[in-house]
Each structure stands twice: as C-alpha cells, then as structure tokens.
Amino acid sequence: MSKHRSTRHRSRRRTPPHIIRNRIVAGLLAVGLISAIAAVFGAFRGDGGQVATPTPSVSKSISSSAAAASATPSPSPSEAVNVYAKTSPSDLAEVVRGHKPLVYVPNTLSNTVQVIDPATYQIVDRFRTGAEPHHVVPSWDLKTLFVNDTQGNDLIPIDPTTGKPGNKIPLEDPYNLYWTPDGKFGLVMAERFNRIDVVDPQSFQIDHSLPMPCNGVNHSDYDKDLEFFVASCEFSGHLVVIDKYATKVLKTIDLNPIQTEGATSAEEAYHGGGPKAGLDRGSSAMPQDVRLTPNGKYFLACDMLRNGVWVIDAATTEYVKFIQTGKGAHSVYPSRDSKRLFVSNRDEGSISVLDAETLEILAKWTIPGGGSPDMGGLTADGKELWLSGRYHSEVYVFDTETGALKHRIRTEAGSHGLVVWPQPGRFSLGHTGNMR
C-alpha cells in the first residue's frame, strides 16, 4: 500500500467529479515538472553522475532521424522475427521491375566487369573499370549499381535498366560499400586506411570518418532493429560494434584468444600468398563476411583462417560459439524462405548449408574438381546461388534445392563480389545485395 494512502476507513460517499478532475490535472502537472527537471540535469550529467562525453559532430539530419527511429514501436516478444521477411520472391519492388535480369561480375585482376545473362548463362557484355574492382553494390534506393574500384579510387555507376556504365565518381579506397538503413548515408569501407568514411549517397562527399581500432575493415551487417552494425577487421582478427551512423565504436571483440578446432596456422597464412599474407603478426583469426541470422538473434562472421563461422549474440554482442564449416569460410547468404544459410568455403571449394534457426550443418556441396567460391547472391526466385570463383577465373551456379553445380562459367581473372540483379526487398544495406 502506498505511504500516501491512509489506513483509516474511508467514506463510501463519491467524490464530486470536478474535484477528481482537478486532482488529475494537478498530478499531471507535477509529473511534467519532475520530468523537465530530470531532462535538464540529464543534459549535464551522464550515467553514474559523470559528465557526459560529447559524440563527434555530424550532420543535423542524424539527430532528427534518430529521434524518429526511437519513436518506432518495437515488435512484441511473442511475434516471430524474420528480418528477411520482405525479401521473398514476391517482394520485388516496383522500382526494379523494369531492370534487366543480369549478373555483373567484377574481375579484380583484369580490371573489368563482365555481364552474364542468367537465362542463357552466357556473357553478353564487358566493360573496363578502374584498378582492382572488388564488389558491385546496389544503391539503397535500388536505382543504381556501383562498381567499387578499390585501387582506382572511384565508383562506376551502372544503370540497371540498360546494364550500361556511367561516368566515374571519385572516392578514396571504396573496397566495399554499405548504406545506413534510412538511406541518409553511404558507409565506405576504406580498408587500407582502417576507417569508415560516411558519405552523402548522391554526391559521395565525406560527411565524417570513423577511424577503426583494428586492421582491414571490410564487411558488416545491421541488427534486427537497424540501430547498430557489426563490422569485420580481416587482418587483425577483430569484430567491431558501431552505432547506426558510424559516429563511434561501441565495442571491439577480439577473436584471437578464442580457441577453435581445425584452424589454419598463422604461419601457413603468412606464407600462403593472397589476402592471408596481410594478416597482422600475432593474429590468428581472419573474419570476413558478416550477416544477421533471419531470426535476428545472432551475427554470423565467416573466418577463412579459423575455417568456419563465429556466432555472436546480437542482443549482448558476446561470443556464443564457433561452427567449423570448411577451409576458407568466406561468405554467407540466407535462402529466400529464410530457413537455410549458405556458407562458401573458398579454400576447399565447397558450400556448407546451415539450418537458419538451429545453425546445425544440414549438408555440404562440393565443387567437382575443386574451386574457390567467394561472393555473390541468390536469384530473385531463390532457385539458384551464384558465386564467383576468385582464384579459378569462373562463376558457379548452384541449384539451391539439390546442391548440384548447374553451370561453371569462365570469366577473366580475379572474379570477386558479383551481384545478381534484380533482388527482392524494400531497400539495400549494401555489399552484393544485403536486402531488407
């Protein structure tokens, strides 16, 4: 019983309505006054009574957008979560319905993009790029595709209605490209400079940059509520948790001290050539692609040195477990029905199929004669998984029901982050089609 209430017997006579109304008004005014005082003091003091540390200065548009996001009601815990619910075959956005169905393959060693017709599996076009194109990335609004010329320091826009490239856009070190969930900013993974450049998505002018506490930032994904993201640092063996607009690093997860079975030794990596030779001395992990599970519970990070997938609790951002999938685990893609996850094992030429809910390994598809499956994506209907063959100058097409290798298409040297287009979804978060 509240200390303000008397224990004496109360009269059963009803209080007049005008008195009740006046008491309610007075109570509301008191609560409002207390809240206002708390807000004033909260502006000067952080948690534990310490003076709050200001965040880096960014565009004014961030604060208003963040306020709007915080006003969005969270789903009920009883509701089944599927973060990819709007990426089913029936969810092609109106804006992409006029786009040509094509597959764009960037060749990092040949400095070209080759264009494949997915109906005939034939190369139908080719154009030159700048130096070392690594990924082809759909824009947030799905209207443009961007070739990331890493060493060429530019983006090449592609008009998906024609399949033709436009004029180069200067941009320093765009190894990979992502977007904030509201499309206000692009997130440039400037890998060789160990920073994320936050840019205007139209002009690509830098709004602000976020230095990384680790080496080789390159892949990321957002949580289910689209409030923060986890990025991988390939060469130092770390994952970093970053706020929505990349103004601050919230947490660094050091994977190196964690023991796992079946890992490739760091010494073997140093002398093996390729990206592994860039591993920092003292590091023993090499995280790559990052993807949220359909139920929103876990971030998965492929590791091509530990040869499997790290499982990180999305609510606490704590390490949960490690799943050994195969040598050179590199990328992960959800099936169209969100029931399975496809993990490419680049160094052994296989694909591991995981149950999206339990994360148990259901099957392993092996490329006959070997291969190097890298990055790619599913067709809009989900019936095929297309992956580049990084070190074999080819592209693989798998039947997602049977696991059979349907086609093996020869390309120029260094095929990497291909995109299958169009893709279903409301908007793109970047990479080779991380759609929501």
Side-chain angles (χ1 to χ4, degrees):
M1 180 176 292
S2 170
K3 65 180 181 180
H4 298 293
R5 293 184 61 184
S6 171
T7 56
R8 295 179 181 176
H9 175 70
R10 292 183 179 272
S11 169
R12 294 183 182 274
R13 186 177 62 182
R14 295 182 60 189
T15 304
H18 71 279
I19 294 177
I20 294 174
R21 183 174 62 252
N22 292 342
R23 288 174 180 173
I24 293 172
V25 172
L28 291 174
L29 288 174
V31 171
L33 179 60
I34 291 169
S35 300
I37 292 170
V40 170
F41 279 94
F44 292 96
R45 302 182 70 84
D47 291 341
Q50 300 298 314
V51 176
T53 303
T55 56
S57 175
V58 293
S59 292
K60 292 181 180 179
S61 58
I62 290 180
S63 58
S64 59
S65 178
S70 66
T72 304
S74 300
S76 167
S78 62
E79 294 178 8
V81 173
N82 178 9
V83 297
Y84 305 116
K86 298 298 183 180
T87 64
S88 70
S90 62
D91 289 315
L92 278 175
E94 192 63 35
V95 69
V96 305
R97 292 185 183 275
H99 294 180
K100 286 188 173 183
L102 294 169
V103 179
Y104 300 87
V105 185
N107 301 305
T108 60
L109 299 180
S110 301
N111 298 326
T112 61
V113 166
Q114 290 175 291
V115 185
I116 302 173
D117 183 338
T120 64
Y121 305 98
Q122 299 296 312
I123 295 173
V124 295
D125 201 0
R126 171 188 183 274
F127 58 86
R128 299 291 302 179
T129 67
E132 208 170 290
H134 276 283
H135 302 93
V136 180
V137 177
S139 63
W140 178 85
D141 61 9
L142 315 180
K143 295 179 180 180
T144 310
L145 305 174
F146 292 102
V147 182
N148 294 194
D149 282 341
T150 306
Q151 295 291 336
N153 296 311
D154 62 58
L155 299 176
I156 299 177
I158 299 173
D159 181 348
T161 62
T162 64
K164 299 299 181 181
N167 295 326
K168 293 179 179 179
I169 303 169
L171 188 64
E172 192 170 44
D173 190 25
Y175 175 79
N176 211 344
L177 181 62
Y178 291 85
W179 314 100
T180 57
D182 53 13
K184 287 186 177 295
F185 296 103
L187 303 172
V188 181
M189 301 294 167
E191 182 186 71
R192 69 177 183 268
F193 295 111
N194 295 327
R195 70 175 192 245
I196 296 176
D197 289 333
V198 183
V199 301
D200 181 280
Q202 303 301 323
S203 68
F204 289 94
Q205 295 299 304
I206 295 178
D207 183 275
H208 62 280
S209 294
L210 181 65
M212 290 290 100
C214 48
N215 187 12
V217 62
N218 52 30
H219 296 89
S220 73
D221 199 8
Y222 276 87
D223 74 305
K224 66 181 178 64
D225 298 319
L226 303 172
E227 290 300 322
F228 70 90
F229 63 97
V230 173
S232 60
C233 283
E234 175 177 1
F235 300 120
S236 63
H238 295 86
L239 297 175
V240 283
V241 184
I242 301 169
D243 72 316
K244 183 176 183 176
Y245 293 107
T247 66
K248 57 185 174 182
V249 173
L250 303 174
K251 181 178 181 179
T252 301
I253 305 169
D254 187 354
L255 302 172
N256 296 295
I258 304 172
Q259 299 297 311
T260 61
E261 297 285 337
T264 300
S265 72
E267 283 303 316
E268 182 180 339
Y270 297 140
H271 302 293
K276 290 181 182 177
L279 183 70
D280 288 355
R281 289 287 173 177
S283 296
S284 61
M286 208 167 185
Q288 305 293 305
D289 196 15
V290 178
R291 204 67 184 264
L292 189 66
T293 56
N295 59 18
K297 292 181 180 179
Y298 305 107
F299 286 101
L300 304 184
C302 297
D303 193 310
M304 67 180 189
L305 198 59
R306 297 298 185 93
N307 303 322
V309 176
W310 299 99
V311 181
I312 306 298
D313 188 301
T316 65
T317 61
E318 296 291 333
Y319 164 73
V320 175
K321 63 179 179 178
F322 184 82
I323 304 168
Q324 189 176 0
T325 59
K327 194 171 183 181
H330 195 71
S331 65
V332 56
Y333 301 94
S335 62
R336 283 278 172 252
D337 61 7
S338 299
K339 293 181 179 180
R340 295 175 296 161
L341 297 162
F342 305 112
V343 177
S344 70
N345 304 307
R346 190 171 75 185
D347 294 346
E348 72 173 34
S350 71
I351 309 299
S352 293
V353 184
L354 276 61
D355 183 294
E357 187 66 30
T358 66
L359 301 182
E360 293 178 358
I361 297 177
L362 302 175
K364 180 177 278 192
W365 308 335
T366 301
I367 298 172
S372 50
D374 197 289
M375 296 288 179
L378 276 73
T379 51
D381 60 13
K383 293 181 179 180
E384 294 178 343
L385 173 64
W386 287 62
L387 296 171
S388 61
R390 182 77 177 270
Y391 300 120
H392 288 73
S393 302
E394 57 191 1
V395 165
Y396 313 111
V397 185
F398 296 90
D399 184 309
T400 56
E401 288 303 314
T402 66
L405 182 64
K406 294 177 62 176
H407 296 277
R408 201 166 187 161
I409 305 165
R410 295 297 300 175
T411 65
E412 296 176 358
S415 54
H416 193 192
L418 68 79
V419 69
V420 182
W421 198 254
Q423 292 279 311
R426 298 165 297 167
F427 56 90
S428 162
L429 287 175
H431 192 39
T432 59
N434 287 13
M435 308 291 287
R436 293 283 182 96

